[in-house]
Amino acid sequence: MQIAPLIDRSRELVRQRGLTAKQAVQTAIDEFAESSEQIVQEESLTSQIEVELLGYGVLQRYLDDQDIEEIWINKPGELHYFSKEGKQVVQLELSELTIQNLVRRLLRHSRRKLDRLTPYVDADLADGSRLHVVMPDVTRRNWAINIRKFSRTRISLSDLISKEALTTDQAGLLTSAVLGGKSILVSGATQAGKTTLLTALLNELGPGERIVSCEDTFEISLDHPDWVAMQTRPTSPEGDFEISLRELVKQALRMRPSRLVIGEVRGAEALDLLVALNSGIPGLGTIHARSAKGALEKLLTLPLLAGENITDRFLRLTIPTAIDLVVHCERSAAGTRKISEILKVRDEILA
């Protein structure tokens, strides 16, 4: 049966009588059962309606599935996801209006907005998952949604060894480096496991460390007693001014961090990071690159975006004293991830 009328009636009961969502659902089903000649499967109906009212509708089962890493929607009626079995596509009852309503619900937690003035948005869900949405006219026709699932389990280097993402020798080297106060840059392509490795490295730190992290949207998940997590904020039609990643780095330096973390180095904030690391604060971050040396070459250009009097010579002298290791991650066509390279940064590499 179509449950849309029951969903509408439940919402009406919430507005008119002030019932809780669960009370409204039960009342709507009771009314339907009394007026219907067919047998009503109350338990099933209750579950379906509550998912629509309190959860994320047709997306909820995929969000709850721990084997699924990422979900995306390109057009009505179709959902893609990536799991342990690889990429999958399913056909769903998913209209354009349903997609738009889902996006509004998905954005409630972050309170970020999507409209014609700002037709794309990055946000986080209540469970920490990362949401990205783009709407027309930036897309050709349909709203495009990506949700990168958040891992609820604590990630350690030992976990990555068991998944064959790195060797015991590599784990030993990285543990010694992070505990010894070395600054580490994690490089790789999209979904190569950069943030996962970064999180595992940070989880090796003891309670005496003070960690301050800066991200575009919250992705890092730590089990640490002294951790401050910050994320950027875009401008809004209501007058909220932008808080950039570069500004977050400046604020972080005033918070007495013993470890400074940048979720992804991709702009002018690279200059502030290099200056901070050169001042004696160990740090970690990720960067998109095709190789460890490629990451360093990219680090030679990103600070130039700061628009200040930065020279190539200055950067070539600064980077080797700021970054100790570059760890490169790769993802195979089958979806497996591994560390392919650990590069010790020396002056001659940038010569």
Side-chain angles (χ1 to χ4, degrees), residues 246 265-272 274 297-316 319:
R246 192 174 187 194
V265 183
R266 64 180 184 185
E269 70 281 348
L271 173 63
D272 303 282
L274 290 175
E297 290 169 352
K298 193 170 184 179
L299 211 53
L300 281 169
T301 59
L302 290 178
L304 302 177
L305 298 174
E308 298 172 10
N309 245 346
I310 308 301
T311 65
D312 181 75
R313 175 174 169 74
F314 167 79
L315 294 173
R316 289 182 185 277
I319 291 173

Side-chain angles (χ1 to χ4, degrees), residues 103-155:
V103 168
R104 294 185 182 96
R105 253 185 285 173
L106 289 164
L107 287 173
R108 280 178 190 165
H109 170 73
S110 66
R111 293 181 293 181
R112 293 192 172 182
K113 292 189 176 180
L114 182 73
D115 52 38
R116 292 193 177 276
L117 291 176
T118 312
Y120 47 82
V121 66
D122 276 304
D124 60 303
L125 305 185
D127 69 351
S129 296
R130 177 178 173 179
L131 170 70
H132 181 72
V133 185
V134 187
M135 61 178 283
D137 296 328
V138 174
T139 57
R140 181 185 293 272
R141 183 176 301 166
N142 303 305
W143 290 36
I145 303 172
N146 277 75
I147 301 173
R148 186 172 297 181
K149 299 275 293 296
F150 175 79
S151 175
R152 295 180 177 87
T153 57
R154 184 182 186 277
I155 301 169

